[in-house]
Amino acid sequence: MDQVVCEFREEGTTLPLFIKPKNGQDSAEFIIQWIGENKELLRQKILEYGAVMFRGFKIDKGVEFERAMQQFEPELSKDYHGTSPRKQLPGTEYVFTASELPRFFPIPQHIEMSFLAAPPRNIFFCCLDEPVGPGGETTLCDFKKVYEDIDPAVRQKFEEKEVMIVRNYRKGWTVFTDPTQLKGWPEIYDTDKKEEVEEHCRKSFQDFTWMKNDGLKLVNQRAAFENHPETGDRIWFNHLQTFHWYMISDEFYRIYKRMGLFKYLLLSWFAWFLKMILFIFIGPMNCGFHTCYGDGTEIPDAVNKHVRDVTWKNMVFNRWKKGDMIMIDNYRISHGRQPYSGKRLIVVSWSKPYLRPSLREKNE
């Protein structure tokens, strides 16, 4: 580590660990080579701190980011069965825009693809165009701390009941009939053949039902927690923060409190009103996404608020700078996106799927 400088955001914090240039060694070629020569050390640091951020190096292109991450993780993946719209970056094979959602839309904290049987082991982000206005942070949260801070009685309920994730997809994008629809199922699975979708669902432990008008309902019952695959630490590991309509209005309200921008308070009221309309006329189980207890009963608003309080208490807000690259332990550290205005380009890559420890135990 004598070729670089290691430090934290501020005294008393440990997320993320920053790696910065030393003695003017800030070229893309230097850090790409350095990552390859120190990947085992980096694995130890990611395991210890949860995330490692490279700052101050001249990473200007998606292909440079891709080369750097392949030095660390030679076998990246481009299979993406999440809900956020993404575009592949020209000239790369494993680099995508982080999200094509509108700038005003926040993305709550989540472990990438935690609703699947095998989420990526690690996820990587890079800033190619930094935001200049307020917001735009890719926020981080240690879900080990979230697990520890959740009220023991609430934890026990989730331990006993687990969680059920419900997702509904149309064949086409239907944001005007249901704003929770972000992608159609042919985009999720890169095919419009139902038999291929069914085969994938069976392999990934997902219950599926074909609905009228070519709708697809996916239901995953999963453990609410996971043991970290290497440390054994207990981790809050589910998509409640993202796949529950309580969270959308609550997220906008918390953003308003933090940033003091009245438009987010208005969006919070609008989201709450829209939630009521959807719940009355569509029903929570027929919205684009929903989370309930594993037995199908609703999770009370008080529990949702408590989980949100704990999550926000542990969130880290770090402003992007051009060339930043971050490596994240996707089995411990969640990420999200604050809304923003103006230009911003964050790209993402991820590692191969890794079967959840709870499912490994069942299959052994």
Side-chain angles (χ1 to χ4, degrees), residues 164-311:
M164 180 185 294
I165 303 292
V166 180
R167 292 177 291 150
N168 289 282
Y169 296 108
R170 311 294 182 191
K171 193 168 185 178
W173 192 47
T174 57
V175 68
F176 295 109
T177 56
D178 182 355
T180 63
Q181 287 282 309
L182 303 178
K183 297 163 73 173
W185 59 260
E187 294 177 84
I188 296 284
Y189 295 106
D190 197 27
T191 180
D192 60 1
K193 296 180 180 178
K194 291 185 177 180
E195 60 273 17
E196 293 182 9
V197 173
E198 293 172 4
E199 179 63 19
H200 183 277
C201 289
R202 280 189 282 266
K203 288 181 178 178
S204 57
F205 306 97
Q206 296 183 93
D207 294 333
F208 62 89
T209 304
W210 291 107
M211 312 297 285
K212 63 180 182 180
N213 299 322
D214 285 329
L216 173 65
K217 181 185 287 291
L218 299 175
V219 179
N220 304 356
Q221 183 169 343
R222 299 279 186 255
F225 317 116
E226 286 291 345
N227 293 329
H228 190 278
E230 293 180 66
T231 66
D233 292 329
R234 204 74 168 137
I235 309 293
W236 174 257
F237 201 92
N238 65 82
H239 246 60
L240 176 63
Q241 303 73 228
T242 307
F243 287 169
H244 195 289
W245 258 97
Y246 176 91
M247 302 306 178
I248 297 178
S249 57
D250 184 76
E251 190 82 2
F252 278 126
Y253 179 67
R254 291 173 190 265
I255 291 166
Y256 160 72
K257 288 179 65 178
R258 175 177 176 264
M259 299 177 68
L261 298 178
F262 188 64
K263 64 180 178 180
Y264 293 116
L265 181 60
L266 294 176
L267 285 167
S268 176
W269 290 340
F270 175 73
W272 181 87
F273 175 75
L274 188 59
K275 179 188 79 170
M276 293 297 101
I277 297 297
L278 287 170
F279 271 37
I280 292 169
F281 292 101
I282 299 178
M285 291 298 190
N286 295 315
C287 288
F289 51 76
H290 189 55
T291 305
C292 56
Y293 285 122
D295 61 3
T297 56
E298 292 297 323
I299 298 171
D301 282 356
V303 172
N304 274 302
K305 182 181 183 303
H306 173 61
V307 172
R308 299 292 291 172
D309 287 343
V310 171
T311 300

Side-chain angles (χ1 to χ4, degrees), residues 5-222:
V5 175
C6 294
E7 58 187 43
F8 297 107
R9 274 186 319 119
E10 55 190 47
E11 187 176 351
T13 64
T14 58
L15 180 68
L17 173 68
F18 281 87
I19 294 180
K20 297 182 178 181
K22 185 177 182 180
N23 301 325
Q25 295 276 25
D26 61 355
S27 70
E29 289 303 320
F30 167 79
I31 195 58
I32 290 170
Q33 181 177 344
W34 188 91
I35 290 172
E37 293 172 349
N38 293 274
K39 58 184 177 182
E40 292 308 316
L41 177 62
L42 281 171
R43 292 189 200 284
Q44 294 173 17
K45 296 300 181 183
I46 294 171
L47 196 62
E48 183 176 359
Y49 299 109
V52 171
M53 170 80 85
F54 297 89
R55 170 162 290 176
F57 298 97
K58 295 178 179 177
I59 300 293
D60 299 316
K61 304 178 181 65
V63 289
E64 294 171 340
F65 170 58
E66 184 173 62
R67 286 177 56 208
M69 295 307 100
Q70 285 183 311
Q71 288 291 313
F72 178 75
E73 195 81 58
E75 293 188 40
L76 297 175
S77 174
K78 55 186 176 183
D79 291 333
Y80 178 61
H81 301 296
T83 57
S84 188
R86 288 177 174 175
K87 293 180 181 178
Q88 189 169 8
L89 212 64
T92 69
E93 186 175 1
Y94 299 105
V95 178
F96 298 80
T97 56
S99 177
E100 293 294 320
L101 288 173
R103 298 169 185 171
F104 69 86
F105 200 87
I107 301 176
Q109 290 297 302
H110 61 285
I111 297 285
E112 186 69 20
M113 296 185 254
S114 73
F115 50 87
L116 297 182
R121 180 65 185 84
N122 295 299
I123 187 166
F124 316 107
F125 292 98
C126 178
C127 177
L128 297 181
D129 201 346
E130 67 185 69
V132 294
E137 299 96 340
T138 295
T139 46
L140 305 177
C141 182
D142 189 338
F143 271 20
K144 176 179 179 289
K145 291 183 179 179
V146 169
Y147 172 84
E148 293 169 349
D149 289 349
I150 288 176
D151 183 273
V154 173
R155 279 206 312 255
Q156 184 61 31
K157 196 77 168 284
F158 279 108
E159 192 76 64
E160 294 170 357
K161 292 195 169 189
E162 301 187 330
V163 293
M164 180 185 294
I165 303 292
V166 180
R167 292 177 291 150
N168 289 282
Y169 296 108
R170 311 294 182 191
K171 193 168 185 178
W173 192 47
T174 57
V175 68
F176 295 109
T177 56
D178 182 355
T180 63
Q181 287 282 309
L182 303 178
K183 297 163 73 173
W185 59 260
E187 294 177 84
I188 296 284
Y189 295 106
D190 197 27
T191 180
D192 60 1
K193 296 180 180 178
K194 291 185 177 180
E195 60 273 17
E196 293 182 9
V197 173
E198 293 172 4
E199 179 63 19
H200 183 277
C201 289
R202 280 189 282 266
K203 288 181 178 178
S204 57
F205 306 97
Q206 296 183 93
D207 294 333
F208 62 89
T209 304
W210 291 107
M211 312 297 285
K212 63 180 182 180
N213 299 322
D214 285 329
L216 173 65
K217 181 185 287 291
L218 299 175
V219 179
N220 304 356
Q221 183 169 343
R222 299 279 186 255

